[in-house]
Amino acid sequence: MSSETVEKKPGAIPFITFNQSTKKFDISPESVKIITNPEYKKIGIISLVGKYRTGKSFLLNRVLIKSQKGFEVGPTIKPCTKGIWLWPTPIFTTNNFSEESFPVFFIDTEGLGAYDEEVNHDSKIFLISILISSLFIYNSFGTIDENSINSLSLILNLSKNLKLRNSSLNNTNNNNSEEKEMSKYFPSLLWLLRDFILKLEDSEGNVITAKQYLENALMIQKGTSAAIEEKNEVRNLLKTYFKERDCFIMVRPVENENDLQNLQNLPDDKIRKEFLEQSEVLRTKVFKKIKPKTFNGKLLTGSMLMKLIENIINSINEGAIPVIENSWKYVLENELLREMNLILFNFKEKIRKYQSENINSDNFHLHFEKFTQNEIENEIKKFTEMNKQNISEKELEDYQQISFI
């Protein structure tokens, strides 16, 4: 069961852009301000990824966020979305993963395989989208065939462009155990098949679900050629990285070819009823599947998610391979620092209040020293209770040396 509420605001905003001059990614300050809202104790991110000019932005606008003025849509072969864009208004939802309402943000990514970009750039967009999302929607046309499997060959680069720990950096061999462990940091996968015209049946004519259709398509194919082995590796990695995966099919939204050029502005009565019905089912499914984002088994706040994104982008910009254990350490260190600053602020406020109320009392200095020591012990105890799953004994000793005055 899920429910959602949204306040409509026009226009998506840049989230992560690519600077053609510096050849580096930049994070939009406006997006940082939105994501790091201190009220966001948990947060969900849904990314939509696929080849360019496959109707991703239309799907986000008309189906998922239900806005006429959302992500940019165009009628030509020129890609509209560059970098990663954010729908700035969260949709608050509850579902089986969270009884407490939490904000969900949608992001639209630059289309893969655009004529003016290179494979390395696509790999970076693909990697960033996976690591920051809690639900990863892959958008493609037609059936799951060898061409569509091949379109996901970017997943082959993940084992080269992402490492679990620092000790893996010098290991050039394909580490199956690390790939399996890495899957814990990956989002759920929903493969969306657009303009699907076939009947959902297996090879024996039995009716199957879209999910079973996906599982059948991911079965290892017979053959020993290099092309077959590469596609089988894609299949294996998809099953290894995305333990939670599903599939959804949609018919073509209109029959008239000319209407395809103006889909965004067509009223519902010009769009096929079957497509509209599927759209409602898809939206419900998406909000049932979305989980609050976690990393290293811990729920991320908006601020923690932003630090994770910052670390990933910094690694990529420096030409380094993002390392998951480093990213988590960076997130944790910044979160601990934020908490310590808050504790320090509250502690100083208590000290000021005690001084102002007791400065003229007898034996003030003696009582003040005792009060101060008690407060320090209380704050350290509170801090360690909040972070007992994340803080080491050595770190605890370091924090105990902090002067609160």
Side-chain angles (χ1 to χ4, degrees):
M1 181 178 181
S2 68
S3 62
E4 68 275 350
T5 57
V6 61
E7 174 191 349
K8 298 292 178 66
K9 291 183 180 178
I13 62 172
F15 185 13
I16 300 171
T17 58
F18 185 71
N19 188 313
Q20 292 289 350
S21 299
T22 63
K23 301 299 180 183
K24 295 182 183 296
F25 288 96
D26 297 317
I27 303 173
S28 155
E30 184 180 3
S31 295
V32 172
K33 184 177 180 181
I34 291 170
I35 296 293
T36 57
N37 186 325
E39 295 182 2
Y40 297 162
K41 303 305 180 185
K42 56 178 78 171
I43 188 171
I45 300 289
I46 299 174
S47 62
L48 191 59
V49 178
K51 298 197 73 173
Y52 81 104
R53 306 309 302 151
T54 53
K56 295 185 291 84
S57 299
F58 165 76
L59 185 84
L60 280 163
N61 295 342
R62 287 293 290 269
V63 178
L64 297 175
I65 63 175
K66 293 191 172 181
S67 173
Q68 289 289 106
K69 297 181 179 179
F71 296 90
E72 184 181 356
V73 177
T76 71
I77 62 168
K78 182 181 179 181
C80 287
T81 305
K82 304 294 286 184
I84 299 176
W85 285 63
L86 172 76
W87 177 246
T89 307
I91 299 177
F92 287 83
T93 190
T94 58
N95 56 26
N96 291 336
F97 301 110
S98 177
E99 294 182 357
E100 180 185 3
S101 178
F102 66 99
V104 175
F105 287 91
F106 284 92
I107 59 174
D108 188 14
T109 64
E110 179 175 341
L112 306 176
Y115 60 85
D116 57 347
E117 297 296 354
E118 56 181 18
V119 173
N120 189 41
H121 180 81
D122 283 352
S123 296
K124 292 173 183 176
I125 293 290
F126 192 75
L127 174 63
I128 294 168
S129 301
I130 285 177
L131 290 180
I132 70 177
S133 304
S134 39
L135 177 60
F136 183 82
I137 302 177
Y138 184 70
N139 179 74
S140 68
F141 277 136
T143 61
I144 301 179
D145 55 15
E146 295 306 304
N147 287 330
S148 56
I149 293 290
N150 190 55
S151 71
L152 269 171
S153 61
L154 287 173
I155 200 168
L156 297 174
N157 296 328
L158 288 180
S159 59
K160 305 172 186 174
N161 297 333
L162 178 67
K163 294 298 179 183
L164 192 61
R165 49 184 65 90
N166 289 310
S167 58
S168 309
L169 287 173
N170 296 324
N171 183 8
T172 57
N173 296 322
N174 190 18
N175 192 323
N176 290 329
S177 62
E178 178 162 303
E179 286 170 355
K180 291 178 180 178
E181 191 176 352
M182 204 178 289
S183 68
K184 296 186 298 185
Y185 300 90
F186 278 36
S188 303
L189 168 67
L190 178 60
W191 194 329
L192 181 60
L193 299 174
R194 306 278 294 281
D195 295 8
F196 192 85
I197 59 174
L198 300 181
K199 290 182 179 180
L200 281 176
E201 296 179 345
D202 63 16
S203 58
E204 298 178 354
N206 299 312
V207 176
I208 58 175
T209 64
K211 178 176 173 58
Q212 187 57 53
Y213 173 73
L214 170 62
E215 296 304 316
N216 291 347
L218 294 181
M219 292 176 65
I220 299 303
Q221 302 299 298
K222 295 180 179 180
T224 57
S225 69
I228 290 177
E229 288 184 357
E230 180 175 306
K231 287 171 184 174
N232 280 340
E233 187 178 358
V234 172
R235 288 181 168 91
N236 279 327
L237 287 175
L238 281 170
K239 291 187 288 187
T240 299
Y241 286 140
F242 298 103
K243 296 299 185 184
E244 295 182 19
R245 52 187 182 268
D246 201 351
C247 183
F248 191 84
I249 64 172
M250 301 185 79
V251 298
R252 193 177 189 181
V254 292
E255 299 284 5
N256 190 323
E257 189 76 25
N258 293 329
D259 286 339
L260 287 174
Q261 310 300 321
N262 193 37
L263 271 180
Q264 181 67 18
N265 299 315
L266 286 181
D268 283 355
D269 60 8
K270 297 293 185 183
I271 294 179
R272 292 173 66 182
K273 181 181 178 182
E274 188 177 359
F275 180 86
L276 295 175
E277 291 172 348
Q278 290 172 341
S279 296
E280 289 304 313
V281 175
L282 173 63
R283 195 172 193 275
T284 299
K285 179 185 280 284
V286 164
F287 281 102
K288 281 183 178 179
K289 284 185 169 295
I290 182 65
K291 299 178 183 180
K293 177 66 178 176
T294 61
F295 204 76
N296 204 37
K298 182 179 176 63
L299 280 171
L300 297 187
T301 65
S303 295
M304 293 171 74
L305 175 63
M306 208 63 245
K307 288 300 178 182
L308 172 65
I309 295 171
E310 185 179 295
N311 181 261
I312 294 168
I313 296 300
N314 286 344
S315 295
I316 292 174
N317 284 342
E318 292 169 2
I321 296 175
V323 179
I324 284 178
E325 72 172 359
N326 291 347
S327 295
W328 175 241
K329 184 178 180 181
Y330 182 82
V331 169
L332 186 57
E333 286 177 349
N334 279 276
E335 183 65 9
L336 294 179
L337 179 61
R338 185 192 66 80
E339 290 179 3
M340 283 302 300
N341 286 335
L342 179 60
I343 287 174
L344 184 59
F345 174 80
N346 291 334
F347 172 77
K348 289 183 176 179
E349 287 300 305
K350 289 179 181 180
I351 294 299
R352 291 192 188 98
K353 182 178 180 182
Y354 185 88
Q355 285 179 316
S356 64
E357 293 176 352
N358 300 280
I359 189 68
N360 295 320
S361 63
D362 295 338
N363 299 319
F364 166 75
H365 292 291
L366 179 62
H367 293 151
F368 177 71
E369 183 177 348
K370 185 176 181 179
F371 173 81
T372 301
Q373 187 59 40
N374 286 338
E375 285 301 314
I376 290 176
E377 292 175 359
N378 288 337
E379 295 298 343
I380 289 178
K381 183 178 180 180
K382 186 191 303 181
F383 176 80
T384 52
E385 279 298 312
M386 290 170 59
N387 298 281
K388 57 185 177 182
Q389 300 297 323
N390 303 315
I391 190 169
S392 67
E393 291 185 9
K394 183 179 186 309
E395 287 172 322
L396 175 58
E397 292 175 2
D398 292 340
Y399 284 117
Q400 286 175 332
Q401 301 301 318
I402 293 176
S403 171
F404 283 79
I405 302 177

